[in-house]
Amino acid sequence: MAPQLTWIGLGNMGRGMCANLVSKGNLDKPLILYNRTQKRADDLSAKLGPSKTKVASTIPEAVEDSDLILICVGDDAAVNSTVDTILEQNVQGKTIVDCSTVHPDTTNALEKRITAAGAQFVGMPVFGAPAMADAGSLVCVTAGKADAVKKVLPYTDGVMGRATIDFSDQPAGNATLLKVIGNTFILNMVNQLSEGHVLAEKSGLGVDNLHNFISTMFPGPYTAYSQRMLQGDYYKRDEPLFHIDLARKDARHAKALADSSGTSVKGLDVARARLDDVKEQLGDKGDIPSVYGAVRKESGLEFENGK
């Protein structure tokens, strides 16, 4: 029999991952859903089918009869609070999987606490935008004891993701260490695209000509972010895909890791300052490609490109 699964945290990523678990995960029991705001869980359950999902109103209710508990919440404090509540219950024999992006020290501390309580733990952050979560094409990163990771792998490739980077029998924090470093690639990519488009506009090349180059040379994330910038999506969207506060949190973690290891990350320093500018300009509507607007302002242009 397949294990009973519970999902905690239904943000932009979690909703798509749950949809793929239900449609492709070969579950023989309804997926248990919990979200701090229950309406989001109720709405997703109605969408996926009440026979395929079950909404829990509390975390203890969500985990009581569950074998595999997956968590995807916004930050370190939310993960720790969630696990605090879970560990108030008997978790002997359960496997807890954290898909959140947190500092690796947080992940390693969770692994110690959870295994001491008699449960297994896997760190499993994912790479990809919400559209990739919806499509089941994320890249999953797994770390922890091999026998624990083995319980999660049936739900990664071909279900929630297109590939898995497996760090079995490595500390669980290695998964989030890769995730934090990997997210600096995304932030620096957005930073470079922003500078390139502003330079193309002000030098006379034109942003459309530069986008033609980008889409030819760098199909994939570069092209997608470039398109979002040029279409004005970076300031028009009411619900950001990569909330500016989450981007700033990830950048803080990366900076802390750099400082503690004596690593120079000057590009990250510049990008962090621009994220702060975005927060000041757009507040909760800020998104990671909104860095384009910050670079525009630095260069004497309007934050919004008028598209």
Side-chain angles (χ1 to χ4, degrees):
M1 293 179 64
Q4 173 65 65
L5 269 62
T6 287
W7 191 280
I8 297 175
L10 298 171
N12 286 338
M13 300 295 290
R15 295 194 297 272
M17 294 166 79
C18 286
N20 282 292
L21 280 173
V22 166
S23 63
K24 297 182 288 188
N26 295 316
L27 308 183
D28 63 3
K29 307 174 189 67
L31 175 65
I32 298 173
L33 304 173
Y34 172 81
N35 193 69
R36 183 177 59 180
T37 304
Q38 185 170 327
K39 183 179 186 303
R40 184 167 285 184
D42 290 338
D43 290 347
L44 183 63
S45 179
K47 179 180 177 181
L48 299 181
S51 65
K52 297 180 179 180
T53 57
K54 176 184 176 182
V55 174
S57 58
T58 66
I59 291 176
E61 179 188 347
V63 304
E64 181 180 8
D65 297 320
S66 185
D67 304 303
L68 188 64
I69 302 157
L70 298 103
I71 303 168
C72 189
V73 293
D75 57 26
D76 302 55
V79 173
N80 281 322
S81 175
T82 299
V83 171
D84 286 345
T85 304
I86 291 173
L87 293 183
E88 292 172 359
Q89 325 305 312
N90 179 8
V91 296
Q92 190 77 31
K94 299 181 187 293
T95 301
I96 299 171
V97 182
D98 185 26
C99 303
S100 315
T101 300
V102 295
H103 194 287
D105 289 351
T106 299
T107 305
N108 287 329
L110 289 173
E111 184 175 33
K112 290 180 181 179
R113 292 175 59 206
I114 289 168
T115 55
Q120 293 182 308
F121 179 74
V122 177
M124 198 192 80
V126 298
F127 286 102
M132 295 173 68
D134 294 343
S137 58
L138 298 168
V139 175
C140 304
V141 186
T142 53
K145 296 297 183 183
D147 55 344
V149 172
K150 187 177 180 180
K151 295 178 181 179
V152 184
L153 293 180
Y155 308 105
T156 57
D157 293 11
V159 183
M160 294 186 291
R162 62 176 176 82
T164 300
I165 300 172
D166 187 4
F167 294 160
S168 287
D169 280 335
Q170 296 185 33
N174 276 12
T176 40
L177 180 55
L178 176 64
K179 173 62 173 173
V180 170
I181 294 173
N183 274 6
T184 68
F185 283 54
I186 297 170
L187 180 53
N188 284 321
M189 173 188 68
V190 168
N191 205 42
Q192 183 60 63
L193 284 168
S194 300
E195 291 181 352
H197 274 308
V198 172
L199 180 58
E201 180 174 346
K202 296 201 70 174
S203 67
L205 175 66
V207 294
D208 291 335
N209 282 340
L210 183 63
H211 181 73
N212 188 21
F213 161 76
I214 292 165
S215 60
T216 303
M217 288 290 294
F218 307 112
Y222 273 87
T223 299
Y225 274 107
S226 176
Q227 192 70 52
R228 290 185 64 195
M229 291 173 183
L230 298 191
Q231 290 179 342
D233 180 80
Y234 70 93
Y235 67 87
K236 293 178 180 177
R237 181 178 292 275
D238 289 327
E239 184 177 359
L241 297 179
F242 194 153
H243 197 287
I244 195 65
D245 287 343
L246 299 182
R248 294 167 77 207
K249 176 260 297 179
D250 294 352
R252 284 195 303 272
H253 287 337
K255 179 61 174 174
L257 289 167
D259 289 346
S260 66
S261 61
T263 304
S264 174
V265 285
K266 292 182 179 179
L268 177 61
D269 292 338
V270 171
R272 288 183 70 213
R274 288 171 174 167
L275 290 175
D276 291 343
D277 290 343
V278 169
K279 177 65 175 181
E280 183 176 348
Q281 180 77 26
L282 295 179
D284 283 340
K285 289 182 63 176
D287 206 336
I288 194 168
S290 307
V291 165
Y292 179 43
V295 177
R296 288 174 60 84
K297 280 189 67 177
E298 291 171 16
S299 306
L301 301 174
E302 294 294 328
F303 185 94
E304 300 176 358
N305 65 354
K307 297 272 180 156

